[in-house]
Amino acid sequence: MSEDKKPEWVDLNNQEGFASSLKPGVELTASHNKASKSKFVKKQNVSIPIHELKEGIIKRDRANLAKGITLIESNAPHHFDPAQELLHSILSHTGNSIRIGISGVPGAGKSSFIETFGSYLCARGHKVAVLAVDPSSSINGGSILGDKTRMEELARNPRAFIRPSPSEGTLGGVHRKTRETMLLCEAAGFDVILIETVGVGQSEAIVRSMVDFFMLLVLTGAGDELQGMKKGIMELVDGIVVNKADGENIPLAIRTKSEYSRILHFLQPATKGWAGKAYTCSAITGKGIPELWDVLNEFSAMTKESGVFQERRRMQSKEWLYSLMDHQLKTMFYKNETVKGLLPILENEVMSGNKTVTTAVKQVFQFFTDTFKSN
């Protein structure tokens, strides 16, 4: 091995005063040089073992359930067919749960309520899946709040499963694949499905179309009573829960409960044969939680006996069908090459005032339909 050498720029009159020295490095062989110059090769799409995923989900394996949900939430085109194959394979194992939608304005305590309510159900032997839909970041589309971090106790419970998903701007405060996720959770043996929405006020029709019981959480002394007078969401709920009914807030909570009960009395029931009422509870003390579960059991028994429960599930499947067709048509429209080329031109003409919006819309749809006629 050659002796250590000082750098060329070291003072020749004071070489010993310089501590650093140069040592010979390792010479690369031809094979090393070839490897370093090789181009990056994109990893090919790996086939997804759908049968293994299905078996894992049915056996209640959490890792496989999470993988299955990630697959169906994926926007990648090559994931669409495997996702549908997975859903089709588990259909016979679905439908054996009560689906509960929980909404309310931000600050109503939805996450705290779900943690207390879910923990209570797990203690009674139920398996609870929480589909928590968070507001989406306007920059990258990801979740902002991260509900899973706010339900620490329930997240550690072996009988619970929490899946936060970004809303991605979907109207109604739910993820566009919430229905599919719900089916996978049912196939994995969860008998209580809790869907927590973003809480977007009165745009909750989508939530109503995928749950059995729709619950609205409200606060006391926050102007909710006046908001409740507007029909909107009030016509969709099966029950209103006045949360945070503890301490000095109990008298006000009881009064708020009475006011909401009177409002619901004058509205058309959201579920045939079921008179919606208001209830009080405390996510901190747990008071009112057992009574609320009794109400849900009563609701389930009554609607199943009358056939309303099964009919609602059938109609929800029909609504899901048309919802997916609307989504598919929108996707086909904006991905059409003719439309993509024409839209920028029409945008400029509309913004410059040379063409009316109605005329532009008529023109772009005419070109869109002509592409199918020519094929």
Side-chain angles (χ1 to χ4, degrees), residues 56-356:
I57 291 172
I58 294 175
K59 292 179 181 178
R60 305 182 179 184
D61 179 73
R62 290 170 174 269
N64 280 284
L65 175 58
K67 289 178 182 177
I69 295 175
T70 300
L71 174 64
I72 66 172
E73 287 185 348
S74 173
N75 292 321
H78 63 277
H79 284 163
F80 179 80
D81 288 336
Q84 297 309 305
E85 181 183 346
L86 175 63
L87 286 170
H88 183 75
S89 67
I90 56 93
L91 277 180
S92 60
H93 301 274
T94 64
N96 302 315
S97 74
I98 180 169
R99 305 166 182 174
I100 305 168
I102 300 174
S103 186
V105 296
K110 295 188 294 295
S111 297
S112 300
F113 169 80
I114 290 174
E115 180 165 50
T116 303
F117 187 48
S119 298
Y120 169 78
L121 294 178
C122 289
R124 290 178 60 90
H126 294 280
K127 293 196 65 181
V128 181
V130 180
L131 308 183
V133 184
D134 287 344
S136 289
S137 166
S138 59
I139 298 176
N140 57 26
S143 297
I144 293 177
L145 299 179
D147 278 297
K148 194 168 184 177
T149 62
R150 298 190 292 146
M151 303 180 192
E152 295 181 4
E153 182 181 342
L154 187 60
R156 292 193 296 266
N157 196 308
R159 303 189 67 84
F161 177 80
I162 302 177
R163 177 73 181 202
S165 300
S167 64
E168 297 181 350
T170 304
L171 180 66
V174 294
H175 189 273
R176 59 185 178 81
K177 295 295 183 66
T178 299
R179 291 182 178 92
E180 289 94 330
T181 303
M182 190 164 50
L183 294 178
L184 290 185
C185 290
E186 289 179 343
F190 292 95
D191 59 336
V192 179
I193 311 292
L194 304 179
I195 301 177
E196 180 197 1
T197 74
V198 171
V200 290
Q202 298 180 12
S203 300
E204 302 288 0
I206 297 180
V207 185
R208 172 75 276 181
S209 68
M210 65 176 68
V211 298
D212 306 313
F213 189 98
F214 187 28
M215 181 189 304
L216 176 66
L217 259 65
V218 297
L219 293 170
T220 59
D224 287 325
E225 292 84 355
L226 293 176
Q227 181 68 16
M229 293 301 293
K230 300 177 183 178
K231 290 185 177 180
I233 190 173
M234 300 289 290
E235 293 181 320
L236 304 176
V237 301
D238 296 303
I240 296 178
V241 178
V242 182
N243 195 18
K244 303 183 181 180
D246 44 54
E248 297 179 354
N249 202 39
I250 293 178
L252 184 56
I254 295 175
R255 186 164 65 250
T256 303
K257 166 193 167 183
S258 300
E259 292 174 355
Y260 274 112
S261 292
R262 284 197 297 270
I263 295 171
L264 290 175
H265 177 72
F266 291 104
L267 295 178
Q268 183 73 22
T271 301
K272 185 178 180 181
W274 176 261
K277 296 180 181 178
Y279 311 92
T280 59
C281 79
S282 170
I284 297 177
T285 65
K287 185 177 181 180
I289 296 295
E291 291 79 6
L292 191 56
W293 179 238
D294 290 339
V295 170
L296 288 164
N297 281 325
E298 181 185 350
F299 172 87
S300 179
M302 187 277 292
T303 52
K304 287 180 179 178
E305 182 179 354
S306 65
V308 172
F309 188 94
Q310 296 82 353
E311 181 61 20
R312 169 169 281 168
R313 290 279 181 98
R314 291 178 63 253
M315 295 307 297
Q316 287 177 349
S317 297
K318 178 182 176 181
E319 291 177 26
W320 186 8
L321 169 67
Y322 282 94
S323 173
L324 288 183
M325 286 194 294
D326 289 341
H327 176 74
Q328 186 65 21
L329 285 171
K330 183 178 179 181
T331 302
M332 288 175 59
F333 178 80
Y334 283 107
K335 286 187 176 182
N336 184 277
E337 294 299 327
T338 303
V339 171
K340 287 194 291 186
L342 186 60
L343 276 179
I345 300 173
L346 294 176
E347 286 176 2
N348 290 329
E349 291 181 343
V350 168
M351 289 187 292
S352 62
N354 295 327
K355 183 171 292 187
T356 65

